[in-house]
Amino acid sequence: MDRRLLQLLMRNGRLSNSRLAQGANVAESTAHTRVSAMVETGVIRGFRAEVDLAAVGCPIQALILVRLQDSARPRLREEAHRLSTCAGVLEVFFLAGQYDLAVRVAAANTSDLRDFVVNELSRQPGTAGTETCLILEDVRGEDPPLGA
């Protein structure tokens, strides 16, 4: 039942409790109790609006791969947190492989993107290298695997 509730919420986080209960074929009180429990236990980390970034003045998106100096790797979590507080940063991911972090950013123009890469990444003493990938379009999956 929880997985069904999650699938419905992941498709539309604005579903009313009655529609959510209807979609999961449970009582409204059951849907409310189960969703509240998943929020309290951290299974549901929050509800967010999916914003058209171009419509709010940030048509440029990029995924920036960051490799840290070996000496900076013990401070990886601190660096991720620092980056997450920078203007335009949407998400920071920890990676396995040749890069340590991926930073998803939104910018008003390529100059702002360049300034972010230069000032917040390249000039930092712990940064060994970066690779910037422009996001041309994003398409979200509707049904992430939640297991059985």
Side-chain angles (χ1 to χ4, degrees):
M1 172 189 1
D2 285 354
R3 292 183 198 290
R4 180 67 182 143
L5 292 168
L6 287 171
Q7 287 174 331
L8 291 166
L9 285 171
M10 289 170 74
R11 283 190 199 133
N12 181 358
R14 292 182 51 124
L15 277 178
S16 68
N17 190 62
S18 63
R19 292 228 186 230
L20 186 60
Q22 198 174 41
N25 201 28
V26 297
E28 287 185 38
S29 60
T30 301
H32 177 74
T33 301
R34 295 307 312 147
V35 170
S36 294
M38 287 188 283
V39 168
E40 192 168 311
T41 59
V43 171
I44 296 175
R45 298 189 303 186
F47 298 89
R48 294 169 185 79
E50 189 171 323
V51 176
D52 179 345
L53 294 168
V56 296
C58 293
I60 307 293
Q61 284 188 68
L63 190 63
I64 305 167
L65 304 172
V66 181
R67 190 174 55 255
L68 298 178
Q69 302 277 351
D70 288 343
S71 61
R73 287 210 173 94
R75 296 185 311 279
L76 181 62
R77 189 166 300 283
E78 294 165 25
E79 180 62 7
H81 179 71
R82 180 188 75 78
L83 290 169
S84 74
T85 64
C86 293
V89 172
L90 303 171
E91 298 173 288
V92 178
F93 303 98
F94 289 82
L95 303 177
Q98 81 180 71
Y99 293 98
D100 299 299
L101 299 170
V103 184
R104 185 173 151 238
V105 298
N109 52 55
T110 55
S111 294
D112 287 351
L113 177 60
R114 181 202 61 228
D115 290 347
F116 176 81
V117 172
V118 170
N119 297 321
E120 299 299 339
L121 296 171
S122 298
R123 287 188 182 160
Q124 298 299 314
T127 302
T130 65
E131 182 174 337
T132 301
C133 305
L134 285 179
I135 297 172
L136 302 176
E137 181 179 355
D138 65 10
V139 179
R140 308 273 169 124
E142 285 204 16
D143 286 317
L146 295 177

